[in-house]
């Protein structure tokens, strides 16, 4: 992580990547927000001669990281000046790209969008926003789709990671966001981590958990099918089978209710639906849960008691809970457990989903979703439609529910979506069942991709628009703890690349809807005017570390934790939920269970980190985690190539043999295009959140020929 370099008092340790590129006093330091995970770390881009030379951090900068950075934040910056960066617009002719001017490219996009809208209606077009772009840019994509085109077909990658969080927590609490703050962990009595490899996915947050445990005050429970790093710091480790979350959560609640350990007064005064919950969990005895989840009954009972008896307990989860066909049920079950023990609306408690990308929270907040405007104002509400139509100066806005990412790809394959505009997303790597994704994208009549590199998706486009990266523009990101933070420009974009918001404004204007903003700050002022939870914010108030929403007025300090006196929905709602098995389980033909995820040294589809020399040195290729027991049976040695096959595709990569996974389960990261694991995954969807089941499918494993 390079923290030793940061801490070294005599300069004996230096960054290898910055060697010979300038003296410290020759560099300009620009404080900004990290572009990787959702923790929102503050860092300094050190600039000399118009180039980012190195990244530093300091305790003096207000931020959730207190001067710490992870390996990606400190060393994963060389993509900014990479030779692969897109520098000019590209137009595809006869199967090959040629360079074009901005006028030619945007005129073509405006003309084709207009023609398709006129011929087939606005719902024949769709738009993907991006969790890597700023709040301002996601807000404008939401505005462009609805006010310029007239469709609610706008979505982004939260659909693939935390759509079930938004749906589940909104149903239970009235707000679909992290309830508490990162710095509250130091006073938490018990932390329950499930479905989150925190020290690799959110390393700075993971360090905060370890510090809390080391203090002696906090006890840690880890519920995970893999032997992740946090297991070594845990009071208890419950190793469960992927896809069994609802069952073991119901089992813990069964124990807590049976032993009368729940917060009876809190439940009576602040919640509803308890009797229905009690009736359902009554059948989830520890013995039954052991058969479903693999968790020994005595361990389940002990963990339930430990959590229930804590004065303040925090539940931390990520995509190990959400990316299932019952992901929304899993989130509601987490909410049930927290409410049952009175852990919502108190400091150092709560339900705390960790957002995987830098601005997943913000993109959701900004209305880059098919059913809401910014601030989760429902498009189904006539009042909200009238409000936004007036703000955007259009006669009316569409009331038909838009398509999600997976539904858009399906509709493209069926010929119902004729054109797609993708800003900063790479569905050819991130979406399940990639053969189907490719089929859908290739069937489109007109595909536009706006990005910083020619990604696997951009390679299929008719027009590619070069965008500025995080270091080359102004704006805001919203972190996993609902903290809105400033992004500051440090260097110029390469060639003719432009900020995403500038491109969107230019395109909208060419289509007869003038979008004129002097700067990103002017866009944020409009966001605050139409978004109640952001109403009290402006750039001047965000300078010293940002503000946490809701912040409804200029004199409001922001909200450290949610639901203090009452839930957003009034009373918290218990959901009585039965466990259902995953859509696809191992059988005789496909005897292994595949689960996917990330590794410390890479990020999402690898667009940025795989262009970072240092990070690639540390983790240069895809590895298939397999247990020693299974490797011995299959006569597979560590480092040998293996072939993994599902009902949808095949891939090959090297095996890494160890004890991270248990027998019958393999794990593969999804960062590597040459070993694309999402060729194998299943596109079965959660019926509520429409999130795909990326964590469970059946495969067979064999030694590659």
């Amino acid at each position: 992580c390079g923290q030793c370099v940061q801490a070294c008092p005599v300069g004996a340790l230096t960054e290898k990547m910055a060697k010979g590129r300038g003296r410290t006093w020759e560099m300009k330091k620009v404080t900004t927000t990290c572009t990787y995970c959702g923790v929102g770390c503050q860092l300094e881009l050190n600039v000399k001669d118009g180039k980012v030379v190195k990244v530093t951090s300091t305790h003096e900068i207000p931020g959730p990281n207190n001067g710490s950075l992870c390996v990606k934040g400190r060393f994963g910056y060389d993509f900014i000046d990479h030779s692969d960066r897109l520098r000019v617009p590209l137009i595809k002719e006869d199967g090959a790209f040629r360079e074009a001017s901005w006028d030619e490219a945007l005129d073509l996009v405006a003309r084709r969008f207009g023609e398709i809208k006129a011929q087939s209606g606005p719902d024949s077009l769709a738009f993907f926003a991006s969790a890597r772009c700023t709040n301002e840019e996601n807000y404008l994509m939401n505005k462009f789709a609805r006010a310029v085109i007239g469709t609610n077909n706008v979505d982004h990658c939260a659909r693939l990671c935390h759509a079930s969080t938004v749906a589940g927590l909104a149903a239970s609490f009235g707000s679909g966001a992290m309830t508490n703050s990162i710095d509250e962990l130091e006073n938490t009595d018990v932390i329950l981590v499930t479905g989150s490899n925190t020290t690799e996915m959110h390393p700075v947050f993971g360090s905060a958990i370890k510090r809390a445990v080391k203090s002696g005050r906090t006890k840690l429970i880890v519920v995970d099918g893999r032997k992740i790093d946090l297991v070594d710091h845990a009071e208890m480790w419950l190793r469960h089978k992927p896809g069994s979350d609802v069952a073991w959560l119901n089992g813990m609640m069964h124990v807590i209710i049976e032993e009368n350990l729940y917060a009876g007064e809190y439940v009576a005064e602040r919640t509803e639906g308890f009797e229905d919950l009690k009736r359902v969990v009554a059948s989830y005895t520890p013995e039954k849960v052991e058969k479903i989840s693999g968790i020994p009954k005595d361990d389940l009972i002990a963990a339930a008691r430990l959590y229930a008896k804590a004065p303040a307990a925090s539940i931390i989860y990520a995509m190990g809970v959400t990316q299932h066909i019952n992901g929304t049920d899993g989130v509601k079950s987490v909410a049930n457990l927290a409410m049952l023990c009175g852990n919502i609306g108190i400091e150092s408690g709560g339900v705390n989903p960790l957002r995987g990308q830098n601005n997943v929270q913000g993109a959701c907040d900004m209305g880059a979703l098919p059913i809401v405007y910014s601030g989760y104002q429902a498009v189904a509400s006539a009042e909200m439609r009238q409000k936004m139509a007036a703000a955007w100066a259009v006669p009316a806005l569409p009331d038909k529910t838009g398509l999600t990412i997976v539904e858009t790809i399906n509709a493209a394959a069926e010929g119902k979506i004729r054109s797609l505009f993708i800003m900063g997303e790479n569905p050819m790597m991130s979406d399940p069942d990639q053969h189907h994704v490719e089929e859908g994208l290739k069937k489109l009549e007109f595909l536009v991709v706006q990005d910083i590199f020619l990604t696997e998706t951009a390679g299929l486009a008719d027009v590619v628009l070069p965008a500025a990266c995080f270091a080359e523009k102004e704006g805001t990101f919203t972190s996993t703890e609902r903290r809105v933070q400033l992004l500051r420009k440090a260097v110029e974009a390469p060639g003719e690349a432009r900020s995403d918001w500038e491109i969107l404004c230019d395109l909208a204007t060419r289509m007869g809807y003038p979008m004129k903003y002097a700067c990103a700050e002017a866009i944020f002022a409009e966001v605050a005017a139409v978004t109640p939870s952001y109403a009290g914010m402006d750039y001047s108030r965000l300078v010293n570390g940002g503000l946490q929403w809701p912040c409804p007025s200029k004199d409001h300090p922001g909200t450290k934790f949610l639901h203090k006196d009452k839930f957003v929905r009034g009373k918290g709602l218990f959901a009585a939920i039965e466990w259902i098995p995953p859509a696809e389980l191992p059988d005789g033909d496909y005897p292994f269970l595949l689960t996917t995820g990330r590794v410390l040294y890479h990020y999402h589809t690898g667009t940025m980190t795989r262009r970072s020399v240092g990070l690639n040195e540390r983790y240069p290729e895809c590895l298939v985690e397999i247990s020693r027991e299974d490797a011995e049976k299959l006569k597979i040695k560590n480092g040998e190539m293996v072939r993994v096959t599902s009902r949808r595709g095949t891939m090959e990569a090297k095996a890494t043999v160890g004890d991270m996974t248990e027998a019958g389960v393999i794990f593969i990261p999804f960062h590597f295009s040459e070993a694309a694991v999402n060729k194998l995954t299943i596109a079965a969807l959660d019926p509520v959140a429409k999130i795909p089941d990326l964590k469970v499918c059946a495969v067979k494993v064999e030694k590659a020929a």
Side-chain angles (χ1 to χ4, degrees), residues 207-233:
S207 294
I209 294 173
K210 290 192 282 188
R211 282 196 304 273
V213 173
K214 191 175 181 181
S215 73
R217 175 191 173 104
T218 305
K219 296 209 167 22
L220 175 64
I221 303 168
V222 174
V223 186
D224 203 293
R226 296 172 70 217
K227 190 179 180 182
I228 60 175
D229 175 63
L230 284 180
V231 168
D232 293 335
H233 303 268

Side-chain angles (χ1 to χ4, degrees), residues 492-546:
E492 296 296 326
E496 298 176 25
R498 303 167 66 188
S499 295
D500 294 272
W501 71 264
E502 294 177 294
I503 301 169
L504 289 170
C505 288
D506 198 342
L507 182 58
T509 301
R510 289 166 194 263
M511 295 193 69
Y513 184 94
M515 276 194 194
K516 302 290 185 183
Y517 299 95
C519 56
E521 187 173 2
I523 304 170
F524 192 84
E526 182 177 319
V527 170
V530 299
T531 312
S533 54
Y534 281 60
M537 299 185 195
D538 58 43
Y539 275 23
S540 66
R541 295 197 68 201
L542 301 178
V543 169
N544 294 314

Side-chain angles (χ1 to χ4, degrees), residues 268-450:
E269 293 179 1
R270 296 201 54 186
T271 69
E272 56 188 351
F274 173 68
E275 291 302 324
D276 289 337
L277 174 77
K278 184 178 179 180
R279 174 179 48 78
V280 167
V281 303
S283 67
Y284 285 83
T285 63
E287 293 78 11
K288 175 181 177 179
V289 171
E290 181 172 351
K291 291 177 182 177
I292 295 171
S293 69
I295 298 172
K297 64 178 183 179
D298 290 341
D299 290 350
L300 185 79
I301 293 168
R305 290 170 178 167
L306 182 60
Y307 177 83
K309 291 177 181 179
S314 171
I315 302 177
I316 293 164
Y317 73 87
M319 287 168 279
V321 169
T322 61
Q323 289 179 329
H324 296 283
I325 59 166
N326 61 345
T328 303
D329 287 347
V331 171
K332 288 179 179 178
S333 296
V334 168
N336 286 343
L337 177 60
M339 287 190 292
L340 186 65
C341 297
N343 279 313
I344 302 298
I346 65 169
E347 194 161 356
S348 300
V351 169
N352 300 303
L354 301 185
R355 304 294 192 169
Q357 296 191 48
N358 56 300
N359 204 31
V360 170
Q361 184 64 58
C364 292
D365 295 347
M366 293 301 103
L369 296 167
I371 59 172
V372 292
Y373 305 113
S374 63
Y376 307 96
Q377 300 171 101
V379 300
S381 164
E383 181 185 353
M384 291 300 105
R385 291 197 302 275
Q386 290 167 6
K387 170 188 170 178
M388 298 306 293
W392 293 342
V394 293
L397 289 169
D399 59 356
K400 180 183 176 184
T401 299
L403 299 178
T404 64
I405 280 182
V406 178
E407 290 172 332
T408 295
I409 296 298
N410 292 342
E414 296 165 5
K416 295 175 182 177
I417 293 292
R418 295 176 57 191
S419 182
L420 177 59
F421 184 2
I422 300 175
M423 177 178 77
E425 294 282 343
N426 189 13
M428 276 296 295
M429 282 288 290
S430 61
D431 291 20
D433 193 357
Q434 285 181 3
H435 293 298
H436 180 59
V437 174
E438 184 174 8
E439 175 193 3
L441 294 180
K442 285 184 173 179
K443 197 163 182 180
L444 289 165
E445 293 178 37
F446 191 62
L447 173 61
V448 180
V449 174
Q450 188 166 297

Side-chain angles (χ1 to χ4, degrees), residues 32-36 40 131-138 358-359 362 470 473 475-479 482-487 534 542:
T32 193
T33 304
C34 184
T35 190
Y36 285 111
R132 287 186 290 283
C133 294
T134 65
N135 285 322
E136 293 78 3
E137 290 160 343
N138 281 289
N358 56 300
N359 204 31
F470 87 110
K473 59 188 176 184
T476 57
F477 292 152
T478 304
S479 76
R482 298 171 282 105
R483 185 176 298 278
V484 183
Q485 299 169 295
L486 288 175
L487 187 71
Y534 281 60
L542 301 178

Side-chain angles (χ1 to χ4, degrees), residues 239-259:
R239 189 172 213 169
H240 75 305
K241 296 175 183 175
S244 64
D245 300 297
V246 170
W248 71 258
L249 284 160
N250 278 353
M252 283 186 71
M253 288 184 280
H254 170 95
V255 173
I256 291 166
I257 293 171
E258 281 288 302
E259 298 189 5

